Amino acid sequence: ASPSPFWKPHALVCPRNQIFLADRYHVYELRSDNTKVERYPCMVNGTIADIAAACNKESCWPVVLLQGVPPLVLDCSTGRQDPLLQTTDGAGRIATNADRENSGMLQT
């Protein structure tokens, strides 16, 4: 079941055996029994352009691309936001190597 009859997700990522979705302002996870979509605990402060995922040995979590100039990348496991340094314009899509074996996605 969806969170609302007006819910319109526009981004999807499926790392390992998980499914994360996003509308313009929130991140969601499809429960493992595929019966319900629940809001994922990610402090999004902006408009979501796209989502990707990062994983360590134990779990996976969403990585969110936020619209703006410069665009920001939000790691939902830490709440850390960093500018996307590869562009000075807006960005509409993001991809990650989800099976990268480390404890965090964003590193400087």
Side-chain angles (χ1 to χ4, degrees):
S2 68
S4 157
F6 304 105
W7 183 58
K8 294 190 186 242
H10 72 275
L12 170 80
V13 64
C14 305
R16 297 184 185 157
N17 292 324
Q18 291 177 273
I19 300 173
F20 298 110
L21 306 103
D23 60 17
R24 293 175 49 87
Y25 305 105
H26 301 101
V27 177
Y28 302 87
E29 183 174 13
L30 180 62
R31 286 182 28 172
S32 60
D33 60 6
N34 295 329
T35 61
K36 186 175 181 183
V37 174
E38 296 180 327
R39 203 150 145 200
Y40 188 85
C42 186
M43 297 302 293
V44 176
N45 187 14
T47 304
I48 298 172
D50 198 15
I51 60 172
C55 301
N56 59 23
K57 290 179 182 177
E58 293 81 36
S59 65
C60 296
W61 58 91
V63 175
V64 178
L65 176 65
L66 298 172
Q67 292 179 356
V69 178
L72 298 174
V73 178
L74 168 63
D75 185 325
C76 289
S77 72
T78 63
R80 181 176 169 175
Q81 290 185 17
D82 287 304
L84 184 63
L85 299 178
Q86 292 84 355
T87 183
T88 57
D89 297 327
R93 300 281 181 241
I94 188 169
T96 59
N97 181 358
D99 283 323
R100 187 172 162 177
E101 295 293 336
N102 63 28
S103 60
M105 168 45 200
L106 304 176
Q107 298 177 352
T108 57

